[in-house]
């Protein structure tokens, strides 16, 4: 890759690394694994950077690579072990700290109970804000599959949380 391409990639990486890392964390529930997943996605993007003609499609390619890496990683036998996690430091908001931590901890614990593909659909729909068509495109499946995976994922999450899960969108 030429110097101009390297500079463009470095700028893109700097702009996107934190959001990709957060998305990876939502997918796997572990900051160290999230770093690995984000790195895998960015390395794959770097390999193809010179072939990308439509720079508007770069986010979609990166997101798809991240989701696939997460699903592939979850299929490895050693990933079926139970892990305990430490929560990241929450950002200050108007919500009481103990309520915010409890909500985040409950959600992350619930997401870990959802199967990987369903978790990917939920993260893309409700945390990344993609519509059904966008999720279908990222995952390379039909919109009907996205809808059924969303319904099943929400059912798993409701069971894991032991309460009704609100979905806006």
């Amino acid at each position: 890759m030429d110097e101009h391409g390297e500079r463009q990639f470095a700028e893109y990486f700097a702009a996107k690394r934190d959001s990709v890392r957060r998305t990876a964390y939502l997918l796997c529930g572990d900051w160290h694994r999230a770093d690995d997943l984000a790195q895998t996605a960015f390395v794959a993007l770097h390999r193809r950077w010179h072939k990308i003609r439509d720079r508007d499609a770069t986010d979609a390619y990166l997101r798809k690579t991240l989701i696939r890496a997460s699903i592939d990683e979850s299929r490895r036998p050693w990933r079926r072990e139970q892990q305990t996690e430490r929560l990241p430091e929450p950002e200050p908001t108007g919500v009481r700290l103990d309520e915010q931590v409890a909500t985040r901890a409950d959600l992350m614990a619930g997401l870990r109970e959802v199967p990987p593909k369903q978790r990917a659909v939920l993260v893309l729909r409700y945390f990344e804000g993609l519509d059904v068509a966008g999720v279908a495109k990222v995952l390379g499946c039909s919109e009907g599959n996205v809808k059924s995976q969303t319904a099943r994922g929400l059912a798993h999450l409701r069971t894991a949380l032991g309460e009704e899960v609100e979905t806006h969108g």
Side-chain angles (χ1 to χ4, degrees):
M1 184 178 341
D2 65 1
E3 187 177 324
H4 177 69
E6 286 291 342
R7 195 171 334 114
Q8 281 183 320
F9 179 81
E11 289 170 4
Y12 181 81
F13 173 78
K16 296 294 181 175
R17 79 175 153 222
D18 291 337
S19 66
V20 169
R21 185 173 179 253
R22 279 190 303 271
T23 300
Y25 177 76
L26 290 169
L27 290 168
C28 69
D30 177 273
W31 283 111
H32 297 291
R33 284 179 57 207
D35 287 336
D36 291 344
L37 291 172
Q39 179 178 349
T40 298
F42 278 114
V43 167
L45 177 63
H46 187 265
R47 284 188 197 127
R48 293 221 181 288
W49 188 258
H50 66 283
K51 293 181 181 181
I52 298 174
R53 290 192 176 117
D54 181 8
R55 293 292 180 200
D56 292 335
T58 306
D59 289 349
Y61 176 81
L62 184 62
R63 190 178 298 118
K64 188 174 196 173
T65 304
L66 180 67
I67 297 296
R68 286 183 174 169
S70 173
I71 291 171
D72 288 348
E73 179 70 13
S74 70
R75 291 179 177 150
R76 298 204 167 111
W78 62 84
R79 290 295 179 207
R80 294 186 191 120
E81 298 172 2
Q82 290 290 341
Q83 299 179 7
T84 45
E85 309 295 332
R86 286 190 179 158
L87 290 173
E89 292 297 320
E91 296 177 18
T93 64
V95 178
R96 286 186 28 202
L97 184 60
D98 59 341
E99 291 173 4
Q100 184 179 6
V101 170
T103 302
R104 181 178 292 174
D106 292 343
L107 178 60
M108 292 311 303
L111 276 174
R112 282 192 295 275
E113 298 295 318
V114 177
K117 188 153 186 179
Q118 293 171 9
R119 184 181 326 134
V121 170
L122 294 179
V123 168
L124 291 171
R125 287 279 289 129
Y126 299 108
F127 294 96
E128 288 288 313
L130 295 180
D131 61 8
V132 172
V135 174
K137 186 174 180 182
V138 169
L139 296 178
C141 63
S142 70
E143 291 183 21
N145 188 303
V146 171
K147 291 175 185 177
S148 66
Q149 292 290 323
T150 300
R152 289 183 188 126
L154 288 173
H156 274 102
L157 189 57
R158 284 183 185 106
T159 301
L161 295 176
E163 59 187 55
E164 190 67 23
V165 176
E166 287 186 39
T167 57
H168 304 285

